[in-house]
Short mmCIF file of all heavy atoms in Angstrom, two decimals:
data_model
loop_
_atom_site.label_atom_id
_atom_site.label_comp_id
_atom_site.label_asym_id
_atom_site.label_seq_id
_atom_site.Cartn_x
_atom_site.Cartn_y
_atom_site.Cartn_z
N TYR A 170 8.66 -6.77 0.57
CA TYR A 170 8.89 -5.67 -0.36
C TYR A 170 9.93 -4.70 0.20
O TYR A 170 10.24 -4.71 1.39
CB TYR A 170 7.59 -4.94 -0.68
CG TYR A 170 6.87 -4.35 0.52
CD1 TYR A 170 7.27 -3.14 1.08
CD2 TYR A 170 5.78 -5.00 1.10
CE1 TYR A 170 6.62 -2.62 2.19
CE2 TYR A 170 5.13 -4.48 2.20
CZ TYR A 170 5.55 -3.28 2.74
OH TYR A 170 4.91 -2.75 3.83
N ASP A 171 10.42 -3.84 -0.70
CA ASP A 171 11.41 -2.82 -0.37
C ASP A 171 10.84 -1.41 -0.52
O ASP A 171 11.40 -0.45 0.03
CB ASP A 171 12.62 -2.94 -1.29
CG ASP A 171 13.13 -4.37 -1.37
OD1 ASP A 171 13.48 -4.93 -0.31
OD2 ASP A 171 13.16 -4.93 -2.50
N LEU A 172 9.77 -1.29 -1.27
CA LEU A 172 9.16 0.02 -1.56
C LEU A 172 7.65 -0.15 -1.54
O LEU A 172 7.10 -1.05 -2.18
CB LEU A 172 9.62 0.51 -2.94
CG LEU A 172 8.91 1.73 -3.54
CD1 LEU A 172 9.10 2.95 -2.66
CD2 LEU A 172 9.42 1.98 -4.95
N LEU A 173 6.99 0.72 -0.79
CA LEU A 173 5.54 0.74 -0.66
C LEU A 173 5.03 2.02 -1.32
O LEU A 173 5.53 3.11 -1.02
CB LEU A 173 5.18 0.72 0.83
CG LEU A 173 3.75 0.54 1.32
CD1 LEU A 173 3.13 -0.74 0.78
CD2 LEU A 173 3.74 0.54 2.85
N ILE A 174 4.08 1.90 -2.25
CA ILE A 174 3.56 3.06 -2.97
C ILE A 174 2.07 3.20 -2.72
O ILE A 174 1.31 2.25 -2.93
CB ILE A 174 3.81 2.93 -4.49
CG1 ILE A 174 5.31 2.83 -4.78
CG2 ILE A 174 3.20 4.12 -5.23
CD1 ILE A 174 5.63 2.64 -6.26
N TYR A 175 1.66 4.39 -2.26
CA TYR A 175 0.24 4.72 -2.10
C TYR A 175 -0.12 5.84 -3.07
O TYR A 175 0.54 6.89 -3.09
CB TYR A 175 -0.05 5.21 -0.69
CG TYR A 175 0.04 4.16 0.39
CD1 TYR A 175 1.20 4.02 1.13
CD2 TYR A 175 -1.03 3.32 0.67
CE1 TYR A 175 1.30 3.06 2.14
CE2 TYR A 175 -0.94 2.36 1.66
CZ TYR A 175 0.23 2.23 2.39
OH TYR A 175 0.33 1.28 3.39
N VAL A 176 -1.18 5.64 -3.86
CA VAL A 176 -1.76 6.72 -4.65
C VAL A 176 -3.07 7.11 -3.99
O VAL A 176 -3.78 6.25 -3.44
CB VAL A 176 -1.95 6.32 -6.12
CG1 VAL A 176 -0.61 5.99 -6.75
CG2 VAL A 176 -2.92 5.15 -6.28
N ALA A 177 -3.43 8.40 -4.03
CA ALA A 177 -4.55 8.84 -3.20
C ALA A 177 -5.26 10.06 -3.76
O ALA A 177 -4.72 10.82 -4.56
CB ALA A 177 -4.04 9.15 -1.79
N ASN A 178 -6.51 10.22 -3.29
CA ASN A 178 -7.25 11.48 -3.29
C ASN A 178 -7.59 11.72 -1.83
O ASN A 178 -8.68 11.37 -1.36
CB ASN A 178 -8.52 11.38 -4.13
CG ASN A 178 -8.31 11.58 -5.62
OD1 ASN A 178 -9.20 12.01 -6.33
ND2 ASN A 178 -7.12 11.24 -6.12
N TRP A 179 -6.65 12.30 -1.08
CA TRP A 179 -6.77 12.42 0.38
C TRP A 179 -7.05 13.88 0.71
O TRP A 179 -6.17 14.73 0.58
CB TRP A 179 -5.47 11.96 1.03
CG TRP A 179 -5.57 11.62 2.48
CD1 TRP A 179 -5.69 12.49 3.52
CD2 TRP A 179 -5.55 10.30 3.07
NE1 TRP A 179 -5.75 11.81 4.71
CE2 TRP A 179 -5.67 10.46 4.47
CE3 TRP A 179 -5.44 9.01 2.54
CZ2 TRP A 179 -5.67 9.38 5.35
CZ3 TRP A 179 -5.46 7.95 3.42
CH2 TRP A 179 -5.57 8.13 4.80
N PRO A 180 -8.28 14.22 1.15
CA PRO A 180 -8.67 15.63 1.27
C PRO A 180 -8.02 16.34 2.46
O PRO A 180 -7.55 15.73 3.41
CB PRO A 180 -10.19 15.56 1.43
CG PRO A 180 -10.45 14.20 1.97
CD PRO A 180 -9.39 13.29 1.43
N SER A 181 -8.04 17.66 2.36
CA SER A 181 -7.30 18.50 3.31
C SER A 181 -7.76 18.37 4.76
O SER A 181 -6.91 18.50 5.66
CB SER A 181 -7.36 19.97 2.87
OG SER A 181 -8.68 20.41 2.72
N PRO A 182 -9.04 18.11 5.09
CA PRO A 182 -9.38 17.98 6.51
C PRO A 182 -8.63 16.85 7.23
O PRO A 182 -8.49 16.89 8.45
CB PRO A 182 -10.90 17.71 6.49
CG PRO A 182 -11.38 18.32 5.23
CD PRO A 182 -10.26 18.08 4.25
N ARG A 183 -8.14 15.87 6.46
CA ARG A 183 -7.42 14.75 7.06
C ARG A 183 -5.96 14.72 6.62
O ARG A 183 -5.32 13.66 6.60
CB ARG A 183 -8.13 13.43 6.72
CG ARG A 183 -9.53 13.34 7.31
CD ARG A 183 -10.21 12.03 7.02
NE ARG A 183 -10.59 11.88 5.63
CZ ARG A 183 -11.68 12.41 5.07
NH1 ARG A 183 -12.50 13.16 5.80
NH2 ARG A 183 -11.95 12.21 3.79
N HIS A 184 -5.44 15.88 6.28
CA HIS A 184 -4.07 15.95 5.76
C HIS A 184 -3.03 15.53 6.79
O HIS A 184 -2.04 14.88 6.45
CB HIS A 184 -3.76 17.37 5.27
CG HIS A 184 -2.52 17.47 4.44
ND1 HIS A 184 -2.44 16.93 3.18
CD2 HIS A 184 -1.31 18.02 4.71
CE1 HIS A 184 -1.23 17.16 2.68
NE2 HIS A 184 -0.52 17.81 3.60
N PHE A 185 -3.26 15.87 8.05
CA PHE A 185 -2.32 15.46 9.10
C PHE A 185 -2.25 13.94 9.19
O PHE A 185 -1.16 13.36 9.37
CB PHE A 185 -2.73 16.05 10.45
CG PHE A 185 -1.81 15.66 11.58
CD1 PHE A 185 -0.57 16.26 11.73
CD2 PHE A 185 -2.19 14.69 12.50
CE1 PHE A 185 0.28 15.90 12.78
CE2 PHE A 185 -1.36 14.32 13.54
CZ PHE A 185 -0.12 14.94 13.68
N ALA A 186 -3.39 13.28 9.05
CA ALA A 186 -3.40 11.81 9.07
C ALA A 186 -2.60 11.25 7.89
O ALA A 186 -1.85 10.28 8.04
CB ALA A 186 -4.84 11.29 9.04
N TRP A 187 -2.76 11.84 6.72
CA TRP A 187 -2.00 11.43 5.53
C TRP A 187 -0.50 11.47 5.81
O TRP A 187 0.21 10.50 5.59
CB TRP A 187 -2.37 12.35 4.38
CG TRP A 187 -1.48 12.35 3.17
CD1 TRP A 187 -0.61 13.34 2.79
CD2 TRP A 187 -1.40 11.35 2.14
NE1 TRP A 187 0.01 13.02 1.60
CE2 TRP A 187 -0.46 11.81 1.17
CE3 TRP A 187 -2.03 10.12 1.94
CZ2 TRP A 187 -0.13 11.07 0.04
CZ3 TRP A 187 -1.71 9.39 0.79
CH2 TRP A 187 -0.77 9.86 -0.13
N GLN A 188 -0.03 12.58 6.33
CA GLN A 188 1.40 12.74 6.59
C GLN A 188 1.88 11.77 7.67
O GLN A 188 2.95 11.16 7.54
CB GLN A 188 1.68 14.18 7.02
CG GLN A 188 1.41 15.21 5.94
CD GLN A 188 1.57 16.62 6.46
OE1 GLN A 188 0.98 17.00 7.48
NE2 GLN A 188 2.37 17.42 5.78
N THR A 189 1.08 11.62 8.72
CA THR A 189 1.49 10.79 9.85
C THR A 189 1.51 9.31 9.51
O THR A 189 2.45 8.59 9.84
CB THR A 189 0.56 11.05 11.04
OG1 THR A 189 0.58 12.45 11.37
CG2 THR A 189 0.99 10.24 12.26
N LEU A 190 0.46 8.85 8.83
CA LEU A 190 0.36 7.42 8.51
C LEU A 190 1.41 6.98 7.50
O LEU A 190 1.93 5.86 7.58
CB LEU A 190 -1.04 7.09 8.02
CG LEU A 190 -2.15 7.23 9.07
CD1 LEU A 190 -3.53 7.06 8.43
CD2 LEU A 190 -1.96 6.22 10.20
N LEU A 191 1.74 7.83 6.55
CA LEU A 191 2.81 7.49 5.61
C LEU A 191 4.13 7.26 6.35
O LEU A 191 4.86 6.30 6.07
CB LEU A 191 2.97 8.59 4.57
CG LEU A 191 1.89 8.68 3.48
CD1 LEU A 191 2.07 9.96 2.68
CD2 LEU A 191 1.93 7.46 2.56
N LYS A 192 4.42 8.13 7.29
CA LYS A 192 5.66 7.97 8.07
C LYS A 192 5.62 6.70 8.91
O LYS A 192 6.62 5.98 9.00
CB LYS A 192 5.87 9.20 8.96
CG LYS A 192 6.18 10.46 8.18
CD LYS A 192 6.30 11.67 9.10
CE LYS A 192 6.58 12.93 8.28
NZ LYS A 192 6.66 14.14 9.13
N ALA A 193 4.46 6.42 9.50
CA ALA A 193 4.34 5.20 10.30
C ALA A 193 4.56 3.95 9.46
O ALA A 193 5.25 3.01 9.88
CB ALA A 193 2.96 5.15 10.96
N ARG A 194 3.98 3.92 8.24
CA ARG A 194 4.15 2.75 7.38
C ARG A 194 5.63 2.55 7.02
O ARG A 194 6.10 1.41 6.92
CB ARG A 194 3.32 2.89 6.11
CG ARG A 194 1.79 2.97 6.26
CD ARG A 194 1.17 1.71 6.83
NE ARG A 194 1.17 1.74 8.27
CZ ARG A 194 0.28 2.37 9.03
NH1 ARG A 194 -0.72 3.03 8.47
NH2 ARG A 194 0.36 2.33 10.36
N ALA A 195 6.36 3.64 6.79
CA ALA A 195 7.78 3.51 6.47
C ALA A 195 8.56 2.95 7.65
O ALA A 195 9.37 2.03 7.50
CB ALA A 195 8.34 4.87 6.05
N ILE A 196 8.32 3.49 8.83
CA ILE A 196 9.08 3.10 10.02
C ILE A 196 8.80 1.65 10.40
O ILE A 196 9.72 0.86 10.63
CB ILE A 196 8.75 4.05 11.19
CG1 ILE A 196 9.24 5.47 10.88
CG2 ILE A 196 9.37 3.54 12.49
CD1 ILE A 196 8.66 6.52 11.82
N GLU A 197 7.53 1.28 10.47
CA GLU A 197 7.19 -0.05 10.96
C GLU A 197 7.53 -1.16 9.96
O GLU A 197 7.74 -2.31 10.36
CB GLU A 197 5.70 -0.12 11.31
CG GLU A 197 4.76 -0.09 10.12
CD GLU A 197 3.33 0.23 10.51
OE1 GLU A 197 3.10 0.58 11.67
OE2 GLU A 197 2.44 0.15 9.63
N ASN A 198 7.61 -0.80 8.67
CA ASN A 198 7.87 -1.81 7.65
C ASN A 198 9.30 -1.81 7.15
O ASN A 198 9.63 -2.59 6.24
CB ASN A 198 6.90 -1.62 6.48
CG ASN A 198 5.48 -1.97 6.87
OD1 ASN A 198 5.22 -3.06 7.35
ND2 ASN A 198 4.55 -1.04 6.68
N LEU A 199 10.18 -0.98 7.72
CA LEU A 199 11.58 -0.92 7.30
C LEU A 199 11.65 -0.83 5.77
O LEU A 199 12.35 -1.60 5.10
CB LEU A 199 12.35 -2.14 7.79
CG LEU A 199 12.40 -2.36 9.32
CD1 LEU A 199 13.14 -3.64 9.64
CD2 LEU A 199 13.05 -1.18 10.01
N SER A 200 10.93 0.14 5.23
CA SER A 200 10.76 0.24 3.79
C SER A 200 10.71 1.70 3.36
O SER A 200 10.26 2.57 4.11
CB SER A 200 9.46 -0.45 3.38
OG SER A 200 9.12 -0.20 2.03
N TYR A 201 11.14 1.96 2.13
CA TYR A 201 10.82 3.26 1.52
C TYR A 201 9.32 3.33 1.28
O TYR A 201 8.67 2.31 1.01
CB TYR A 201 11.54 3.42 0.18
CG TYR A 201 13.03 3.67 0.29
CD1 TYR A 201 13.94 2.63 0.08
CD2 TYR A 201 13.52 4.94 0.58
CE1 TYR A 201 15.31 2.86 0.15
CE2 TYR A 201 14.89 5.17 0.66
CZ TYR A 201 15.78 4.13 0.45
OH TYR A 201 17.13 4.36 0.54
N VAL A 202 8.76 4.54 1.36
CA VAL A 202 7.34 4.76 1.09
C VAL A 202 7.19 5.95 0.16
O VAL A 202 7.81 7.00 0.37
CB VAL A 202 6.54 4.98 2.39
CG1 VAL A 202 5.13 5.50 2.08
CG2 VAL A 202 6.46 3.70 3.20
N VAL A 203 6.35 5.80 -0.86
CA VAL A 203 5.95 6.89 -1.75
C VAL A 203 4.46 7.11 -1.57
O VAL A 203 3.67 6.15 -1.57
CB VAL A 203 6.25 6.53 -3.22
CG1 VAL A 203 5.61 7.55 -4.17
CG2 VAL A 203 7.75 6.45 -3.46
N GLY A 204 4.05 8.36 -1.40
CA GLY A 204 2.64 8.72 -1.34
C GLY A 204 2.37 9.84 -2.32
O GLY A 204 3.00 10.90 -2.25
N VAL A 205 1.44 9.63 -3.26
CA VAL A 205 1.11 10.65 -4.25
C VAL A 205 -0.37 11.01 -4.13
O VAL A 205 -1.25 10.16 -4.30
CB VAL A 205 1.46 10.20 -5.68
CG1 VAL A 205 0.95 11.22 -6.69
CG2 VAL A 205 2.96 10.03 -5.82
N ASN A 206 -0.62 12.27 -3.84
CA ASN A 206 -1.96 12.81 -3.64
C ASN A 206 -2.25 13.81 -4.77
O ASN A 206 -1.35 14.19 -5.53
CB ASN A 206 -2.01 13.50 -2.27
CG ASN A 206 -3.41 13.81 -1.79
OD1 ASN A 206 -4.38 13.24 -2.28
ND2 ASN A 206 -3.52 14.71 -0.84
N ARG A 207 -3.47 14.27 -4.87
CA ARG A 207 -3.85 15.30 -5.82
C ARG A 207 -3.91 16.67 -5.13
O ARG A 207 -3.77 16.76 -3.91
CB ARG A 207 -5.19 15.00 -6.48
CG ARG A 207 -6.37 14.95 -5.53
CD ARG A 207 -7.68 15.12 -6.26
NE ARG A 207 -7.79 16.46 -6.83
CZ ARG A 207 -8.80 16.87 -7.59
NH1 ARG A 207 -9.78 16.03 -7.89
NH2 ARG A 207 -8.84 18.10 -8.05
N THR A 208 -4.16 17.71 -5.90
CA THR A 208 -4.34 19.06 -5.37
C THR A 208 -5.67 19.62 -5.85
O THR A 208 -6.43 18.96 -6.56
CB THR A 208 -3.21 19.98 -5.84
OG1 THR A 208 -3.25 20.08 -7.27
CG2 THR A 208 -1.85 19.48 -5.40
N GLY A 209 -5.95 20.87 -5.46
CA GLY A 209 -7.11 21.59 -5.98
C GLY A 209 -8.41 21.17 -5.34
O GLY A 209 -8.46 20.67 -4.22
N GLY A 210 -9.50 21.37 -6.10
CA GLY A 210 -10.83 21.01 -5.62
C GLY A 210 -11.52 20.09 -6.59
O GLY A 210 -11.17 20.02 -7.77
N ASP A 211 -12.51 19.33 -6.10
CA ASP A 211 -13.22 18.40 -6.99
C ASP A 211 -14.70 18.71 -7.06
O ASP A 211 -15.20 19.65 -6.42
CB ASP A 211 -12.96 16.95 -6.56
CG ASP A 211 -13.62 16.56 -5.23
OD1 ASP A 211 -14.49 17.30 -4.73
OD2 ASP A 211 -13.24 15.49 -4.70
N GLY A 212 -15.42 17.92 -7.84
CA GLY A 212 -16.85 18.14 -8.04
C GLY A 212 -17.70 17.81 -6.84
O GLY A 212 -18.90 18.11 -6.82
N ASN A 213 -17.11 17.19 -5.82
CA ASN A 213 -17.82 16.94 -4.56
C ASN A 213 -17.65 18.07 -3.56
O ASN A 213 -18.13 17.97 -2.43
CB ASN A 213 -17.31 15.64 -3.92
CG ASN A 213 -17.70 14.40 -4.70
OD1 ASN A 213 -18.80 14.33 -5.26
ND2 ASN A 213 -16.80 13.44 -4.78
N GLY A 214 -16.92 19.11 -3.95
CA GLY A 214 -16.68 20.23 -3.05
C GLY A 214 -15.54 20.01 -2.07
O GLY A 214 -15.41 20.76 -1.10
N LEU A 215 -14.73 18.98 -2.31
CA LEU A 215 -13.60 18.69 -1.43
C LEU A 215 -12.34 19.38 -1.93
O LEU A 215 -12.14 19.56 -3.13
CB LEU A 215 -13.36 17.19 -1.34
CG LEU A 215 -14.48 16.36 -0.71
CD1 LEU A 215 -14.18 14.88 -0.83
CD2 LEU A 215 -14.68 16.75 0.75
N HIS A 216 -11.46 19.74 -0.99
CA HIS A 216 -10.20 20.41 -1.30
C HIS A 216 -9.04 19.50 -0.91
O HIS A 216 -9.14 18.76 0.08
CB HIS A 216 -10.11 21.73 -0.54
CG HIS A 216 -8.83 22.46 -0.76
ND1 HIS A 216 -7.81 22.48 0.17
CD2 HIS A 216 -8.40 23.20 -1.81
CE1 HIS A 216 -6.81 23.18 -0.31
NE2 HIS A 216 -7.13 23.63 -1.50
N TYR A 217 -7.96 19.59 -1.67
CA TYR A 217 -6.82 18.71 -1.47
C TYR A 217 -5.53 19.52 -1.35
O TYR A 217 -5.29 20.42 -2.16
CB TYR A 217 -6.69 17.71 -2.64
CG TYR A 217 -7.91 16.85 -2.80
CD1 TYR A 217 -9.01 17.31 -3.54
CD2 TYR A 217 -8.00 15.60 -2.22
CE1 TYR A 217 -10.15 16.52 -3.69
CE2 TYR A 217 -9.13 14.81 -2.36
CZ TYR A 217 -10.20 15.28 -3.09
OH TYR A 217 -11.33 14.52 -3.23
N LEU A 218 -4.72 19.17 -0.35
CA LEU A 218 -3.49 19.90 -0.07
C LEU A 218 -2.24 19.24 -0.65
O LEU A 218 -1.13 19.68 -0.37
CB LEU A 218 -3.30 20.05 1.45
CG LEU A 218 -4.17 21.10 2.12
CD1 LEU A 218 -4.02 21.00 3.65
CD2 LEU A 218 -3.81 22.51 1.65
N GLY A 219 -2.41 18.19 -1.43
CA GLY A 219 -1.24 17.55 -2.02
C GLY A 219 -0.40 16.86 -0.97
O GLY A 219 -0.83 15.90 -0.34
N GLY A 220 0.82 17.37 -0.78
CA GLY A 220 1.70 16.74 0.20
C GLY A 220 2.25 15.41 -0.26
O GLY A 220 2.59 14.54 0.55
N SER A 221 2.37 15.23 -1.58
CA SER A 221 2.98 14.00 -2.10
C SER A 221 4.43 13.93 -1.63
O SER A 221 5.10 14.97 -1.51
CB SER A 221 2.92 13.99 -3.63
OG SER A 221 1.58 14.08 -4.08
N THR A 222 4.90 12.71 -1.38
CA THR A 222 6.20 12.61 -0.71
C THR A 222 6.88 11.29 -1.02
O THR A 222 6.24 10.30 -1.41
CB THR A 222 6.01 12.76 0.81
OG1 THR A 222 7.28 12.87 1.46
CG2 THR A 222 5.26 11.57 1.40
#
Side-chain angles (χ1 to χ4, degrees):
Y170 59 80
D171 311 302
L172 169 62
L173 189 57
I174 300 177
Y175 290 96
V176 299
N178 277 207
W179 198 286
S181 56
R183 295 182 290 279
H184 193 70
F185 179 76
W187 165 253
Q188 295 174 308
T189 303
L190 293 172
L191 286 170
K192 292 176 181 178
R194 297 295 87 82
I196 294 166
E197 70 196 8
N198 291 306
L199 300 178
S200 170
Y201 287 101
V202 168
V203 170
V205 173
N206 194 18
R207 62 160 293 176
T208 62
D211 69 14
N213 291 323
L215 295 174
H216 178 257
Y217 301 84
L218 284 172
S221 301
T222 189

